[in-house]
Amino acid sequence: MGFYEYFSKLVDSSYRHRLKRPQKTTIRITWKAPEDIIERLEAYGYKLQRLPRYERGYRIVEGDASRIGNLLEYALGYIYLQEGASMIPPVVLKPERGDKILDLCAAPGSKTTQMADMIENEGVIVANDVNKYRLRMLGSNVQRTSAYSVIVTSFDGRNIPKSLYGKFDKTLVDAPCSALGTRRFPDNLDKRSLEFSLSISKLQYRLLRSAILATKPGGRIVYSTCTLTVEENEFVVDRILEEFDFVEVEKISVEGLRYSPGVTEREGWSLDERLKNTIRIYPRHNDTDGFYIASLIRSE
């Protein structure tokens, strides 16, 4: 069964069409931006629309978005190009000043630098990635946005050092995935296979397992992907819930965000009912990429 048929059954037959629809560019205003940054962008001919889901997020509704990366304001780190749905996992994680945060799969740094903004660099964010090429992009974005609360590390997230067990208040796992929710890669619906999703779900499970171990009792873990296969999302979280009886699923609520609840039945499989508290963001909901997000609480 191809993914066109897969998503026609899971969502509706319009899913492929919606993935291929043109999408407005979204940006994030960073903490270091001057107060007149919006006026500066408007002077360049840009018209911005604030996103209701994140106070520093904006959609470019007029102007040549392809040239925004050429602006001095971009080079100075005042603005950051980031897809709208990508801003939601940090909002769900709710980083606060003074937090110790682990971003287990951090590159290229969009969510890392967003979290640094949210805590106003008052705290510590360990931003980790195992991919050396992507690690350079992470370091570059951290420097450009002056995210000096960030410490960049590189280790295999499946096997975190035991010295990090129980050290973090909050952990983000924005896991590698099949990217079947992104408008940048709509052709992945034809290129990917269910076997690929099943294979990468093993990696995703091990990353999320590491995140559970790294988080303090009472801490929050957010798991997210930019794909919408059940195998890479609900199945992964369901397996974690079976293994760790001290992990609870927190109901997600983000003002202004439209979404569908997580899936609890799939092709004869019955999953934990608590997965209804996780969310599926389809492209039709908010005119964004597709995303899956789960918020977990470690009770002990």
Side-chain angles (χ1 to χ4, degrees):
M1 178 176 63
F3 276 115
Y4 175 74
E5 183 181 353
Y6 181 106
F7 285 111
S8 294
K9 290 182 177 180
L10 183 64
V11 190
D12 57 51
S13 59
S14 69
Y15 182 73
R16 184 188 187 96
H17 170 71
R18 291 181 181 276
L19 269 189
K20 290 194 171 185
R21 286 179 59 183
Q23 185 178 11
K24 296 289 187 182
T25 299
T26 49
I27 62 171
R28 202 183 76 238
I29 304 299
T30 72
W31 73 278
K32 65 186 286 188
E35 292 184 359
D36 67 344
I37 184 62
I38 301 300
E39 289 80 3
R40 289 193 191 190
L41 295 176
E42 289 175 344
Y44 290 126
Y46 294 103
K47 182 178 180 181
L48 305 177
Q49 178 186 62
R50 186 176 172 277
L51 299 177
R53 303 169 292 278
Y54 179 59
E55 62 183 359
R56 294 177 180 265
Y58 291 84
R59 179 178 283 116
I60 300 175
V61 294
E62 289 183 15
D64 187 355
S66 67
R67 295 185 58 82
I68 202 160
N70 298 332
L71 299 180
L72 175 63
E73 286 77 5
Y74 178 87
L76 292 173
Y78 297 164
I79 55 178
Y80 191 105
L81 284 162
Q82 185 173 351
E83 200 281 324
S86 170
M87 301 179 195
I88 304 303
V91 172
V92 173
L93 190 65
K94 302 175 184 175
E96 299 174 317
R97 294 181 185 179
D99 277 345
K100 294 179 181 177
I101 301 167
L102 172 61
D103 190 351
L104 196 57
C105 313
S110 301
K111 299 173 185 66
T112 304
T113 55
Q114 180 184 348
M115 291 189 292
D117 285 346
M118 294 172 77
I119 66 173
E120 298 182 338
N121 281 309
E122 294 185 20
V124 175
I125 301 173
V126 174
N128 179 74
D129 208 279
V130 71
N131 185 300
K132 295 298 189 286
Y133 171 72
R134 288 170 58 84
L135 205 65
R136 289 196 291 271
M137 293 189 289
L138 171 62
S140 175
N141 284 323
V142 165
Q143 289 183 341
R144 184 172 63 84
T145 58
S146 300
Y148 51 77
S149 58
V150 174
I151 300 170
V152 176
T153 62
S154 183
F155 57 82
D156 187 337
R158 294 171 295 182
N159 302 296
I160 65 169
K162 289 188 177 180
S163 59
L164 296 182
Y165 281 19
K167 297 297 184 182
F168 297 94
D169 301 293
K170 288 156 190 172
T171 302
L172 175 64
V173 185
D174 187 53
C177 68
S178 58
L180 295 174
T182 62
R183 290 179 173 178
R184 289 171 298 159
F185 310 113
D187 292 339
N188 276 358
L189 286 175
D190 300 315
K191 295 177 180 178
R192 300 299 194 197
S193 66
L194 186 57
E195 288 74 21
F196 178 86
S197 287
L198 290 170
S199 175
I200 202 169
S201 69
K202 297 174 184 177
L203 167 64
Q204 294 161 339
Y205 158 73
R206 291 189 63 184
L207 290 169
L208 183 51
R209 189 179 189 278
S210 289
I212 301 295
L213 297 175
T215 307
K216 295 177 181 178
R220 178 180 292 111
I221 304 99
V222 166
Y223 174 78
S224 63
T225 71
C226 58
T227 198
L228 291 166
T229 65
V230 180
E231 288 75 11
E232 297 176 64
N233 295 314
E234 287 91 346
F235 276 19
V236 172
V237 179
D238 185 75
R239 187 176 174 186
I240 288 292
L241 295 176
E242 286 184 357
E243 181 174 357
F244 297 102
D245 59 6
F246 54 79
V247 173
E248 294 296 329
V249 185
E250 183 180 42
K251 186 173 179 59
I252 294 174
S253 178
V254 177
E255 185 177 356
L257 180 69
R258 298 184 182 91
Y259 57 86
S260 293
V263 171
T264 56
E265 293 185 4
R266 170 68 183 159
E267 297 289 326
W269 289 83
S270 293
L271 306 177
D272 196 304
E273 286 294 311
R274 290 174 290 176
L275 290 170
K276 290 180 180 178
N277 289 334
T278 67
I279 65 173
R280 302 180 137 256
I281 303 172
Y282 295 121
R284 61 180 166 82
H285 282 140
N286 309 280
D287 193 22
T288 65
D289 280 350
F291 249 81
Y292 174 82
I293 307 173
S295 180
L296 308 176
I297 300 295
R298 177 173 176 170
S299 61
E300 63 178 59

